[in-house]
Amino acid sequence: MSRRVDHAKASRAFIGDEPHIRFHDKRLWGLRELRDQAAHGIAEWEQLRALASQIKEHTLGNLAGYLEQFDRTARANGVVVHWAADAAEHNRIVHDLLAERGVDLLVKSKSMLTEECEMRPYLEARGIEVVETDLGERIQQLDGEMPSHIVVPAVHKLAADVAEVFADSIGTDRANADPHYLAEGMRQDTRPYFLRAGAGMTGCNFAVAETGTVVVCTNEGNADLSANLPPIHIASIGIEKLIPRLSDLAVFVRMLSRSALGSPITQYTSHFRAPREGGELHYVLVDNGRSARLAMDDFWYSLKCIRCGACMNTCPVYRRSGGLSYGGVYAGPIGAIINPTFDLKKYSALPFASTLNGSCSNVCPVKINIHEQIYKWRQIVAAQGHVGFVKRESMKLAGAVLGDPRRYRKLSETTGRAIAGLPRAFLYNPFNAWGKQRELPAAPKQTFHQWYAANRPSERVKPTVPCMAEPAAEPPQDQGETR
């Protein structure tokens, strides 16, 4: 049975570490600001968002046809195409390909799909070494952690943390936390793996149905080395990554890196369409719950995601709780709506890790209504009884108070005085989540309703329709003027 992720509990250690949380918050908000500058630099940005959304919705609405076209064109190009219904089948296909060819070392570039399928432990348990070649992914692999961010997997770590990890694993100087030194250490350690590996693996940012092309966007060039040095290239592709035509790709390439990092384009935008001479190219098209999500009226929109991470960078909860606290491959707002589709009970706390401020939806390059989906997941979580006792009873009480204006006013007028007289031990009890990390604010002398009644007596709400017993007021002479 899956164990429920307690996001609030899992985030406590991160919240309690002031240097890390300050860096994390500042770094991610900096990416959000760079995204804004990049977006504001393109006059047609909102038109691009609308177009990207339309292309994705059209593709998902005709997904079966585009998948068949992609399969057909890829096979015509000499690619071997495999279909995987779920993570287990994906892992089995990859293992069989490697085992049949005697491969015992696989180098791979970043792929959230392979993390989702838990492919690395599956292969390693069967004697195949898997080496991540993306810098952030490699840091996380060596430290035994999942990625904490879709684009920058080790963003929660300081340079000093990386120095410790590398000193223990690849023998660099523990006292040297210079990023250039650490990056060079990683480069020197990884290059021999590229030369020895029997196979390389990449993910897929976009799969073009028209040409059978897989497009991979990176900043380190490791995907190109993984795909081109070993004799076998395997690309794992989520079926939602399809786009119809090569001309559609330009829309997404313009938006992906700007939304993720604020840069105009990634350093490498690599197209793989056919096996190189003497080599093999395999595509593994993976469903793993995606077609089931496509049938969900309220939640299929999440399949439009292009994995830019913009929603994570802008989310105040994610920035202050860290990605590992979400307990799944996908963290932040997009994780709060994707993870429950895999296991509702396990991830039932994630839809509540949000302020519902809507910023995630506002920055999404494909206009996913993320905050609305989070709200809908809350309704489902509550309806299926996955809300804890304290939260459930608190919400009942809040509903009874907030749904009755007279009761609300009476309670708000008396609560301040009552709190002032209560002993501290009574207020800061285990059930008071607010008081666990902050002091309760002092209650104002007046409620807002009392202040408004005292200061705005002439602005009380009046009937909008004149009383029939009284003459209607003369209409203003300039009623046609627009102010």
Side-chain angles (χ1 to χ4, degrees):
M1 180 179 294
S2 58
R3 186 174 182 181
R4 183 176 178 274
V5 173
D6 188 337
H7 174 262
K9 183 178 180 181
S11 64
R12 280 178 196 153
F14 189 75
I15 292 172
D17 188 333
E18 183 60 30
H20 281 82
I21 195 171
R22 188 167 57 246
F23 168 79
H24 193 257
D25 188 22
K26 182 179 180 180
R27 171 67 174 142
L28 293 177
W29 186 249
L31 293 179
R32 161 65 202 266
E33 291 180 320
L34 290 172
R35 174 263 173 205
D36 289 350
Q37 292 172 17
H40 295 159
I42 296 180
E44 67 274 22
W45 182 258
E46 288 304 317
Q47 287 89 339
L48 280 174
R49 288 183 72 212
L51 181 57
S53 175
Q54 291 167 7
I55 293 170
K56 276 290 185 180
E57 292 188 8
H58 164 78
T59 310
L60 292 167
N62 300 274
L63 187 58
Y66 284 121
L67 282 169
E68 289 175 357
Q69 182 185 8
F70 179 76
D71 178 289
R72 190 168 56 250
T73 51
R75 290 179 192 275
N77 295 335
V79 179
V80 181
V81 181
H82 310 262
W83 294 76
D86 53 27
E89 188 169 8
H90 167 268
N91 294 344
R92 191 165 56 249
I93 290 170
V94 174
H95 175 259
D96 288 349
L97 287 171
L98 301 178
E100 288 167 3
R101 291 156 180 78
V103 174
D104 60 2
L105 173 61
L106 173 72
V107 287
K108 65 181 288 290
S109 65
K110 188 166 56 180
S111 162
M112 298 307 293
L113 176 58
T114 58
E115 294 284 345
E116 176 187 314
C117 294
E118 300 181 349
M119 183 198 74
R120 199 166 65 213
Y122 179 91
L123 294 180
E124 289 175 345
R126 288 157 179 79
I128 297 174
E129 184 181 6
V130 181
V131 175
E132 300 288 348
T133 60
D134 172 87
L135 176 58
E137 285 276 356
R138 183 62 171 162
I139 293 168
Q140 291 304 93
Q141 180 186 20
L142 294 174
D143 203 20
E145 291 184 332
M146 288 191 299
S148 71
H149 189 287
I150 289 174
V151 177
V152 277
V155 70
H156 60 294
K157 282 183 166 67
L158 303 176
D161 302 327
V162 178
E164 291 284 342
V165 173
F166 279 9
D168 291 337
S169 54
I170 64 175
T172 55
D173 182 359
R174 191 180 304 276
N176 192 341
D178 176 65
H180 298 92
Y181 168 76
L182 296 171
E184 182 61 20
M186 159 76 175
R187 188 193 309 275
Q188 295 299 329
D189 181 72
T190 307
R191 289 302 164 112
Y193 288 110
F194 285 117
L195 298 176
R196 286 200 296 112
M201 172 173 270
T202 65
C204 166
N205 289 95
F206 305 102
V208 185
E210 178 185 42
T211 59
T213 306
V214 163
V215 180
V216 181
C217 305
T218 68
N219 283 312
E220 300 172 22
N222 58 307
D224 298 83
L225 291 173
S226 299
N228 289 310
L229 284 178
I232 306 167
H233 174 199
I234 304 170
S236 289
I237 309 164
I239 58 173
E240 82 283 12
K241 296 298 180 67
L242 266 287
I243 58 174
R245 301 164 302 181
L246 196 59
S247 57
D248 298 323
L249 181 64
V251 176
F252 296 99
V253 169
R254 292 186 75 189
M255 305 200 74
L256 177 62
S257 193
R258 285 182 169 89
S259 298
L261 304 170
S263 56
I265 194 170
T266 49
Q267 299 297 318
Y268 301 89
T269 303
S270 305
H271 297 230
F272 302 104
R273 192 172 69 172
R276 57 195 171 83
E277 187 174 348
E280 297 179 52
L281 177 55
H282 295 261
Y283 292 165
V284 186
L285 287 160
V286 186
D287 186 319
N288 201 35
R290 285 160 174 77
S291 55
R293 201 188 319 162
L294 189 58
M296 297 178 176
D297 288 342
D298 291 327
F299 302 113
W300 69 269
Y301 302 98
S302 64
L303 291 166
K304 296 194 296 181
C305 178
I306 60 172
R307 306 288 193 266
C308 69
C311 62
M312 306 165 79
N313 301 339
T314 197
C315 176
V317 176
Y318 173 80
R319 293 202 315 272
R320 292 171 176 82
S321 60
L324 299 180
S325 63
Y326 289 77
V329 172
Y330 303 104
I334 193 66
I337 62 174
I338 290 179
N339 289 326
T341 66
F342 295 124
D343 189 332
L344 178 61
K345 182 179 179 181
K346 180 177 180 180
Y347 298 110
S348 58
L350 299 190
F352 297 92
S354 170
T355 64
L356 295 180
N357 60 34
S359 182
C360 47
S361 302
N362 290 339
V363 299
C364 178
V366 288
K367 299 175 81 74
I368 301 174
N369 58 338
I370 300 174
H371 71 295
E372 293 176 358
Q373 292 191 47
I374 290 174
Y375 177 67
K376 290 180 184 296
W377 273 120
R378 289 185 183 185
Q379 293 176 311
I380 292 175
V381 168
Q384 297 196 13
H386 296 309
V387 176
F389 173 79
V390 173
K391 185 184 287 290
R392 185 172 65 248
E393 296 305 312
S394 299
M395 290 299 103
K396 284 183 182 177
L397 179 61
V401 173
L402 297 174
D404 184 335
R406 290 187 178 181
R407 185 181 295 169
Y408 170 75
R409 288 171 191 161
K410 190 67 177 176
L411 193 66
S412 60
E413 289 168 5
T414 57
T415 299
R417 294 194 298 272
I419 287 177
L422 289 173
R424 183 177 179 81
F426 183 87
L427 292 173
Y428 294 90
N429 60 65
F431 298 106
N432 181 9
W434 177 275
K436 288 178 182 176
Q437 290 157 342
R438 58 180 75 82
E439 290 290 312
L440 288 169
K445 294 179 181 179
Q446 289 179 304
T447 66
F448 176 76
H449 188 260
Q450 289 170 332
W451 179 91
Y452 195 87
N455 293 277
R456 298 286 190 274
S458 61
E459 297 181 14
R460 289 180 177 175
V461 177
K462 297 177 181 178
T464 54
V465 178
C467 176
M468 295 302 291
E470 298 177 357
E474 291 290 329
Q477 296 303 309
D478 60 345
Q479 59 179 320
E481 183 181 348
T482 301
R483 299 188 182 207

